[in-house]
Amino acid sequence: EIVMTQSPATLSVSPGDKATLSCRASQTIDTDLAWYQQKPGQAPRLLIYHSSTRASGVAARFSGSGSGTEFTLTISSLQSEDCAVYYCQQYHYWPPLTFGGGTNVEI
Amino acid sequence: QLQLQESGPGLVKPSETLSLTCSVSGVSITTSDYWGWIRQPPGKGLEWIASIYHTGVRRYNPSLKSRVTMSVDTFEHKFSLTLTSLIAADTAVYYCARMTVGGIFNVWGQGALVAVSS
């Protein structure tokens, strides 16, 4: 099983700041990584797939990068509506599909 | 526009069996996608449970495989999850989702909270 580790657990930022979230895989997953955003009381929403491709309707301030075992989600200029928990997920080798523990972005 | 809606009991007793259904509307369930279940215990992260293709090909999380069964009803445009021998740790919000063949969850239902308690 591929273990996904996210850091930090909580990220406190101010509006307009750049937020950088990290995700590490226990073994190489090429670019088979997705990022999801989950706001309180809501289902997760797909933001990024193939490490850096934005899903339909996702704002350009969200960008993803990385390959192999190290990945980054960047929010270039944080807005209040970006307060959420962000999860990474690998789909390189499954079953099982595995998620990271999440990063809580708070303002 | 694709919509997914979970349905099932809100409360189940320990050792009993949970049955959940996800109704698919807006697209055919026989598209070239998988359909999956993911759960989230209160205050915790996401755990993939299982996925199914409309032909019946199934993929299960090995950690739950002995207790999980997934099925699809192409006529009723639904797919279902059965989880047996429930314990308190199965208490979670259960989400159904559309999954690409590659394993990306691109549309999610709103989730159904299931509590396991006597």
Side-chain angles (χ1 to χ4, degrees), chain A residues 12-53:
Chain A
S12 297
V13 293
S14 299
D17 283 355
K18 182 171 83 170
T20 302
L21 288 67
S22 296
C23 176
R24 174 177 293 177
S26 61
Q27 61 192 76
T28 184
I29 58 171
D30 294 340
T31 55
D32 296 333
L33 183 103
W35 290 94
Y36 301 86
Q37 176 193 63
Q38 186 178 33
K39 296 182 179 180
Q42 296 185 18
R45 169 199 175 201
L46 177 66
L47 286 181
I48 301 279
Y49 60 96
H50 295 338
S51 177
S52 61
T53 302

Side-chain angles (χ1 to χ4, degrees), chain A residues 1-5 23-33 67-71 90-94 98:
Chain A
E1 172 176 330
I2 297 177
V3 177
M4 306 302 293
T5 304
C23 176
R24 174 177 293 177
S26 61
Q27 61 192 76
T28 184
I29 58 171
D30 294 340
T31 55
D32 296 333
L33 183 103
S67 66
T69 62
E70 301 285 341
F71 300 87
Q90 69 81 22
Y91 49 92
H92 181 72
Y93 182 75
W94 65 283
T98 50

Side-chain angles (χ1 to χ4, degrees), chain B residues 58-77:
Chain B
R58 299 167 176 84
R59 298 287 184 263
Y60 295 133
N61 190 322
S63 68
L64 296 167
K65 188 174 184 178
S66 64
R67 298 195 291 135
V68 170
T69 303
M70 240 187 118
S71 60
V72 62
D73 185 335
T74 57
F75 295 102
E76 294 292 328
H77 301 284

Side-chain angles (χ1 to χ4, degrees), chain A residues 36 38 43-44 87 89 91 95-97, chain B residues 40 48 60 95 102-103 105 108-109:
Chain A
Y36 301 86
Q38 186 178 33
Y87 294 96
Q89 177 229 329
Y91 49 92
L97 296 161
Chain B
Q40 184 173 38
W48 171 69
Y60 295 133
Y95 295 100
F105 298 101
W108 295 65

